[in-house]
Amino acid sequence: MWGALLRRGGRCAGGLRALASGGPPWSQVVSEAEKIVGYPTSFMSLRCLLSDELSNIAMQVRKLVGTKHPLLDTARQRSLAEITELIHTAFLVHRGIVNIGELKSCDGPLKDMQFGNKMAVLSGDFLLANACTSLAQLQNTKVVELISSAIGDLVQGIYYENSKSSEENCLTDDIGISTWKEQVFLSHSALLAKSCQAAMELAKHSAEIQDMAFQYGKHMSMSHKLHSDLQPFVKENSSDTMAFSLNSAPAVLHQEFLGREAWIKQIREAQGKGNIMDYKKLQEAIKAGKGVTSAIDLCRCHGNRALAALERFPPSEARAALANIVYAVTRFP
C-alpha cells in the first residue's frame, strides 16, 4: 500500500503538520489510505484467493505482459504491493514455528506440534515461492535486485534474533541502541523501505525520488517498531502487565542509561524461584528510568525524518495519507 500511495496524485490542503499536533488513530488512517489506493491492504483472504471473478481479471491482465498498454503499469504497481505482502506473510508464517525442545505436556501432543511445524515451513515456502515468481514477472532487474536483497535482510535479521534467543545470557545481552537499530532495519524496515524504492523505480522516477521513498519507508517502519515496543509501558487503563521483550527499545535504552552491571542486578532482583521473571517488577523499574521517554523521543525523531522525505513529493491526497500514518505511530497518551 505504501508504494501505491507514493505513486498517487491528487489535491491536498496545506503542508505536513508537526508531530506535536498528534493525529487520528492507526485504524482510521489505514482505512483512509485504503480508500485512496482503492483496495484493502490485506489481499490475502480466502474470499479473494478463491474468487472466480478475480481469477478471470488476472488472466486477462496476464495477456498484456510484453505489451506497452498503460494498464500494465497500474497492474505492475498493484503486483509489487501484493509481492511485498506475500513475502511479509511468508516470514510471519515461518516465525510461527515452535521450539519442540521447549514444549511442555500442557502445550499439546508432540506429534501435532511437529505436524504444525511442517505445515508452517511448507506454507511459508509456498508463499515465498509465489512471491519470487511474481517478482520475476515484473521484468525489472533493479526491482528484482531490491526485493531479493530485502528477503536476504529479513533472513539475516530473523537468524540473528533466533541465535541470540537460544543463548543462556540473552536476558542480559548488552546490544546497545545502535545495534538494536541495525537489527530492526534488517528484520522490520528493509522490506518496506526497498519496496517503496522499487515502486518509484517501476514508476520511472529519478534516483533522488527513489531514495526519498526508501527513506520514508525506513523511518516510518522504525517509528512503527518503536511505537509497538513502547505499548507495554505507555498503554493507558491496563491493569495487567503487558508482555514485553527485554530487547525492546525502552529496555535497551534503560540499560544504556543505567549501566550493564546495574541492569543485571535489576534483572536478578526481578527473578524469583526457578528463575521465573517478575515482568511487572521489571516493567516498573524501566518506567521509572529514562528508557521510556528516550524511546518516545527516538520514535518521533524517525517520524520527523519520514515526514522530511515526504516533503520532497508534491502535495496530494496520497502524501497526506502517508503523513497521517506517521502521525499515528508517533502518537502517545
Side-chain angles (χ1 to χ4, degrees):
M1 180 181 71
W2 324 107
L5 281 170
L6 282 167
R7 286 193 61 189
R8 299 284 295 196
R11 296 179 182 176
C12 172
L16 302 180
R17 302 190 302 271
L19 284 178
S21 64
W26 174 258
S27 58
Q28 183 180 334
V29 299
V30 171
S31 178
E32 291 172 354
E34 286 174 348
K35 291 176 184 176
I36 296 172
V37 175
Y39 57 90
T41 56
S42 183
F43 76 99
M44 284 297 298
S45 65
L46 285 175
R47 196 156 149 204
C48 181
L49 287 175
L50 301 179
S51 168
D52 289 336
E53 220 177 297
L54 184 70
S55 298
N56 289 333
I57 293 172
M59 192 183 304
Q60 298 305 317
V61 170
R62 283 194 193 101
K63 293 179 181 178
L64 294 174
V65 173
T67 73
K68 294 183 179 180
H69 195 284
L71 174 62
L72 190 59
D73 284 337
T74 302
R76 294 168 75 228
Q77 170 45 39
R78 176 74 185 251
S79 181
L80 177 61
E82 293 178 353
I83 288 166
T84 301
E85 188 159 352
L86 266 177
I87 294 168
H88 178 64
T89 304
F91 278 92
L92 286 179
V93 172
H94 278 159
R95 283 173 183 263
I97 297 172
V98 298
N99 187 341
I100 298 295
E102 295 178 355
L103 292 177
K104 300 175 184 177
S105 57
C106 61
D107 292 325
L110 180 62
K111 62 178 182 179
D112 290 347
M113 290 298 190
Q114 290 173 331
F115 177 74
N117 274 359
K118 290 178 182 178
M119 289 302 296
V121 172
L122 291 172
S123 300
D125 288 351
F126 173 77
L127 293 174
L128 196 56
N130 274 272
C132 291
T133 301
S134 299
L135 184 61
Q137 291 172 349
L138 293 178
Q139 298 181 347
N140 186 300
T141 305
K142 184 173 180 180
V143 169
V144 171
E145 181 183 348
L146 281 168
I147 304 301
S148 298
S149 67
I151 294 174
D153 291 335
L154 270 169
V155 171
Q156 186 179 344
I158 294 171
Y159 175 81
Y160 186 84
E161 285 178 2
N162 291 339
S163 64
K164 297 305 288 184
S165 63
S166 64
E167 295 179 6
E168 293 182 1
N169 68 336
C170 64
L171 295 180
T172 57
D173 189 30
D174 185 17
I175 65 169
I177 196 63
S178 59
T179 304
W180 180 90
K181 286 182 180 180
E182 292 172 6
Q183 293 174 16
V184 168
F185 175 78
L186 291 173
S187 58
H188 291 82
S189 301
L191 180 60
L192 180 58
K194 292 181 179 181
S195 294
C196 289
Q197 181 180 352
M200 296 299 96
E201 163 65 22
L202 283 177
K204 298 180 174 60
H205 282 293
S206 66
E208 182 184 4
I209 292 298
Q210 290 181 34
D211 183 60
M212 288 302 103
F214 176 93
Q215 295 302 325
Y216 171 81
K218 173 185 175 180
H219 293 294
M220 192 286 290
S221 58
M222 292 291 285
S223 289
H224 186 273
K225 182 62 169 67
L226 283 156
H227 186 271
S228 176
D229 281 5
L230 278 159
Q231 291 312 295
F233 304 95
V234 301
K235 196 170 180 67
E236 292 180 329
N237 304 322
S238 178
S239 55
D240 300 325
T241 303
M242 293 177 66
F244 68 94
S245 167
L246 293 182
N247 282 332
S248 64
V252 170
L253 286 164
H254 174 75
Q255 178 184 353
E256 282 200 345
F257 283 112
L258 198 64
R260 181 166 169 76
E261 294 303 319
W263 171 239
I264 293 174
K265 183 180 178 182
Q266 280 190 347
I267 289 178
R268 287 174 178 166
E269 289 174 350
Q271 287 178 324
K273 293 181 179 179
N275 286 332
I276 298 175
M277 185 68 68
D278 183 349
Y279 278 92
K280 184 172 180 59
K281 185 175 182 179
L282 196 58
Q283 186 184 52
E284 292 302 319
I286 293 173
K287 287 169 72 174
K290 299 178 181 178
V292 174
T293 54
S294 295
I296 291 174
D297 289 342
L298 186 59
C299 179
R300 288 176 175 158
C301 174
H302 282 288
N304 279 324
R305 295 182 73 176
L307 292 178
L310 278 183
E311 289 281 5
R312 304 299 295 272
F313 292 86
S316 66
E317 275 187 319
R319 192 183 84 164
L322 289 166
N324 280 335
I325 289 169
V326 176
Y327 301 136
V329 297
T330 54
R331 185 172 174 262
F332 297 97

